[in-house]
C-alpha cells in the first residue's frame, strides 16, 4: 500500500495546480481504515493528505469509506455523494472486498 501511495503521491507532486483540487477516497472498510478488528480506524486518505500538505500541494482529500459495504450499494452512495457534495478532480475507488467475502 505504501508503494502505491508513493507512486500516487509522486504523480501529484510533479503536476501542481494553482487552485485547490478535491480528491475523493471512496470505498468500503479498506478506505475507511478498518484495522485491529475495528478498534482503530486509520484511512489511507489521512496519510495521503499528510503527504500532499507537507509537499505544499493544493489538494483536499475527502475520505468516504463505509465498512461492510458491497458494490451494489456503493454505486448508489457515490451518486448521492457527488450530487450533494459537488465534483471531484480525482476519485480513488476501492470496492469488491465484501462482495468477494460473502461469496466465499
Amino acid at each position: 500500500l505504501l508503494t502505491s501511495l508513493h507512486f500516487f503521491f509522486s504523480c501529484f507532486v510533479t503536476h501542481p495546480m494553482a487552485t485547490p483540487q478535491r480528491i475523493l477516497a471512496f470505498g468500503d472498510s479498506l478506505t475507511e481504515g478498518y484495522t485491529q478488528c475495528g478498534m482503530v480506524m486509520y484511512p489511507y486518505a489521512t496519510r495521503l493528505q499528510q503527504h500532499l500538505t507537507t509537499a505544499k500541494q493544493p489538494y483536499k482529500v475527502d475520505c468516504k469509506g463505509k465498512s461492510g459495504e458491497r458494490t451494489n450499494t456503493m454505486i448508489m452512495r457515490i451518486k448521492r455523494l457527488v450530487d450533494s457534495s459537488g465534483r471531484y478532480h480525482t476519485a480513488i475507488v476501492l470496492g469488491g472486498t465484501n462482495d468477494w467475502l460473502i461469496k466465499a
Side-chain angles (χ1 to χ4, degrees), residues 75-93:
I75 292 167
M76 294 179 290
R77 185 166 68 94
I78 197 168
K79 181 174 180 356
R80 285 191 310 267
L81 177 67
V82 172
D83 286 347
S84 66
S85 300
R87 294 183 178 234
Y88 287 90
H89 179 260
T90 303
I92 305 164
V93 180

